[in-house]
Coordinates of all heavy atoms in Angstrom, one line a residue:
I286 N -24.8 20.8 -19.4 CA -23.7 20.4 -18.5 C -22.6 19.8 -19.3 O -21.4 20.0 -19.1 CB -24.2 19.6 -17.3 CG1 -25.0 20.5 -16.4 CG2 -23.0 18.9 -16.6 CD1 -25.6 19.7 -15.2
A287 N -22.9 19.0 -20.3 CA -21.9 18.4 -21.2 C -21.1 19.5 -21.9 O -19.8 19.3 -22.1 CB -22.6 17.5 -22.2
E288 N -21.8 20.5 -22.4 CA -21.0 21.6 -23.0 C -20.0 22.2 -22.1 O -18.8 22.4 -22.4 CB -21.9 22.7 -23.5 CG -21.2 23.8 -24.2 CD -22.0 25.0 -24.6 OE1 -22.9 24.9 -25.4 OE2 -21.6 26.1 -24.1
L289 N -20.4 22.4 -20.8 CA -19.5 23.0 -19.8 C -18.3 22.1 -19.5 O -17.2 22.5 -19.3 CB -20.2 23.5 -18.6 CG -21.4 24.5 -18.9 CD1 -22.1 24.8 -17.6 CD2 -20.9 25.7 -19.5
T290 N -18.6 20.8 -19.3 CA -17.6 19.8 -18.9 C -16.6 19.7 -20.1 O -15.3 19.5 -19.9 CB -18.1 18.5 -18.5 OG1 -18.9 18.0 -19.5 CG2 -18.9 18.6 -17.2
Q291 N -17.1 19.8 -21.3 CA -16.2 19.6 -22.5 C -15.3 20.9 -22.5 O -14.1 20.8 -22.8 CB -17.0 19.5 -23.8 CG -17.4 18.1 -24.0 CD -18.6 17.9 -24.9 OE1 -18.9 18.9 -25.7 NE2 -19.3 16.8 -24.8
A292 N -15.8 22.0 -22.2 CA -15.0 23.3 -22.2 C -13.9 23.2 -21.0 O -12.8 23.8 -21.2 CB -15.8 24.5 -21.9
L293 N -14.2 22.4 -20.0 CA -13.2 22.2 -19.0 C -12.2 21.1 -19.4 O -11.2 20.8 -18.6 CB -13.9 21.8 -17.7 CG -14.5 22.9 -16.8 CD1 -15.5 22.2 -15.8 CD2 -13.5 23.8 -16.2
G294 N -12.4 20.5 -20.5 CA -11.5 19.5 -21.0 C -11.7 18.1 -20.4 O -10.8 17.3 -20.4
L295 N -12.9 17.9 -19.8 CA -13.1 16.5 -19.1 C -13.4 15.5 -20.2 O -14.2 15.7 -21.1 CB -14.2 16.7 -18.1 CG -14.1 17.7 -17.0 CD1 -15.2 17.5 -16.0 CD2 -12.7 17.5 -16.3
G296 N -12.8 14.3 -19.9 CA -13.2 13.1 -20.7 C -14.3 12.4 -19.9 O -15.2 11.8 -20.6
A297 N -14.3 12.4 -18.6 CA -15.3 11.7 -17.8 C -16.6 12.5 -18.0 O -16.6 13.7 -18.3 CB -14.9 11.7 -16.3
R298 N -17.8 11.9 -17.8 CA -19.0 12.5 -18.0 C -19.7 12.9 -16.6 O -19.6 12.1 -15.7 CB -20.0 11.7 -18.8 CG -19.7 11.7 -20.3 CD -20.6 10.9 -21.1 NE -20.6 9.5 -20.8 CZ -21.6 8.7 -20.9 NH1 -22.8 9.1 -21.4 NH2 -21.5 7.4 -20.6
V299 N -20.3 14.0 -16.6 CA -21.1 14.4 -15.4 C -22.5 14.6 -15.8 O -22.9 15.5 -16.6 CB -20.6 15.8 -14.8 CG1 -21.4 16.2 -13.6 CG2 -19.1 15.7 -14.5
L300 N -23.4 13.7 -15.3 CA -24.8 13.7 -15.7 C -25.6 14.2 -14.6 O -25.5 13.7 -13.5 CB -25.3 12.2 -16.0 CG -24.5 11.5 -17.1 CD1 -25.0 10.0 -17.2 CD2 -24.6 12.2 -18.4
P301 N -26.5 15.3 -14.9 CA -27.4 15.7 -13.8 C -28.4 14.5 -13.6 O -28.7 13.8 -14.5 CB -28.1 16.9 -14.5 CG -28.0 16.6 -15.9 CD -26.7 15.9 -16.2
M302 N -28.8 14.4 -12.3 CA -29.7 13.2 -12.0 C -31.1 13.2 -12.8 O -31.6 12.2 -13.0 CB -30.0 13.3 -10.5 CG -30.8 14.4 -10.1 SD -31.0 14.7 -8.4 CE -32.4 15.7 -8.2
A303 N -31.4 14.4 -13.3 CA -32.6 14.5 -14.2 C -32.5 15.8 -15.0 O -31.9 16.8 -14.6 CB -33.9 14.5 -13.3
D304 N -33.2 15.8 -16.1 CA -33.3 17.1 -16.9 C -34.4 18.0 -16.3 O -34.2 19.2 -16.5 CB -33.6 16.7 -18.4 CG -32.4 16.1 -19.0 OD1 -31.2 16.6 -18.8 OD2 -32.5 15.2 -19.8

Side-chain angles (χ1 to χ4, degrees):
I286 289 177
E288 180 186 300
L289 301 178
T290 55
Q291 277 156 24
L293 282 166
L295 300 185
R298 284 183 295 155
V299 179
L300 301 176
M302 67 193 199
D304 286 319

